[in-house]
Every structure is written in C-alpha cells, then in structure tokens.
Amino acid sequence: PAMGKDYWWVGKKVRIRAFGRITTAATPGNLTLALFYGTGADANGVSIVASAAQTLIASQTNISWEVELFVHCRSLGTAGTLFGTGKAMFGAAVIAAAGFLIPATAAAVSAAVDLTVASNILSLQALRSGSTAETMQVHDIEVIALN
C-alpha cells in the first residue's frame, strides 16, 4: 500500500520483516541491503537506511535469509525525514558474518523525503556487485504499522 500523504505523523513507526532465499554464482561479489522511500522502482527514491557491503560466498544454493527493519517518522512535509535501523541474518554458508546490523555505523535520519506524495512506498532492495548473476527471492514479507 502507498505510504504517502496522511500516512505518516511524527513518531509513526513501521516494522518490515522479510524472509527468503539466495543463490550465488562463481564470482558473486558483495551484497548491500537498502531501504528506499520512493516509487518502488530499482534504486528509486531516498535511501532511508543501508547495510555495509557484505562479501558473498561463491556457489551457494537456496540459502535462507531474514531481514527486520524499523522506520519511524522524525518530521513531515515535502522535506520530511525518516529514521531506519535493523538487522539481517543470512545462512553462514553464503555470508560469513551471518548476522549484521543495519546500518553498520552512524545511524542517522534520512535526507529530505517528500511525505506528501500519495503513491510513494518503502521498498526493500538488494544491491549487488560482481560479474555473475545471483538470485534472491522473497518468500514472505510483512509491513506492520506499530502505532
């Protein structure tokens, strides 16, 4: 559902939980998890919070992962701000540091976010580097208003 005009108020908090699987190829590179506020298109909008780049382990198949993020509104309007924190767990076969915090350091409010656009959403995205194609599927996702 859209999370724009009239959805947010100062102090409004949302929890996002996602569970899925990842498969890596021979030279997978790194994975960064990011939460954007925008249209939902690839890397569209304002980054609310992102993980540090995590080194993927090559040639792994269908390894489970889970991400939990919290976002709360700090200010409203066309230059509103959101604050995000969270954690991720990956099977140790695919990321050696199986559990990690998001962000790794220096949690901060987002850049200006237009909270008056009616159609914008929070969008969890996986950004990768490397020369081969990895796959990452979401099997279950919850977006829960906490207040």
Side-chain angles (χ1 to χ4, degrees):
M3 296 178 147
K5 187 175 182 317
D6 300 325
Y7 183 81
W8 297 100
W9 64 82
V10 173
K12 171 74 175 175
K13 186 175 265 190
V14 174
R15 175 181 176 255
I16 299 168
R17 182 199 150 275
F19 185 92
R21 69 179 184 216
I22 185 171
T23 295
T24 60
T27 54
N30 297 320
L31 173 74
T32 301
L33 298 174
L35 184 67
F36 288 89
Y37 185 78
T39 66
D42 291 348
N44 173 268
V46 175
S47 177
I48 304 306
V49 67
S51 73
Q54 303 293 319
T55 302
L56 293 169
I57 298 171
S59 305
Q60 301 300 309
T61 304
N62 295 330
I63 306 299
S64 293
W65 58 266
E66 183 178 35
V67 174
E68 183 179 43
L69 298 166
F70 293 89
V71 177
H72 73 266
C73 181
R74 290 282 184 92
S75 62
L76 296 173
T78 57
T81 55
L82 300 173
F83 183 80
T85 60
K87 59 188 174 184
M89 294 290 298
F90 280 74
V94 76
I95 294 178
F100 53 93
L101 295 174
I102 304 170
T105 61
V109 297
S110 68
V113 176
D114 188 349
L115 296 176
T116 67
V117 176
S119 59
N120 280 350
I121 62 169
L122 291 169
S123 175
L124 175 61
Q125 299 193 19
L127 313 168
R128 56 164 293 283
S129 68
S131 60
T132 55
E134 280 61 55
T135 61
M136 193 168 176
Q137 291 87 28
V138 175
H139 292 293
D140 183 43
I141 190 165
E142 301 166 328
V143 179
I144 301 165
L146 297 178
N147 55 4

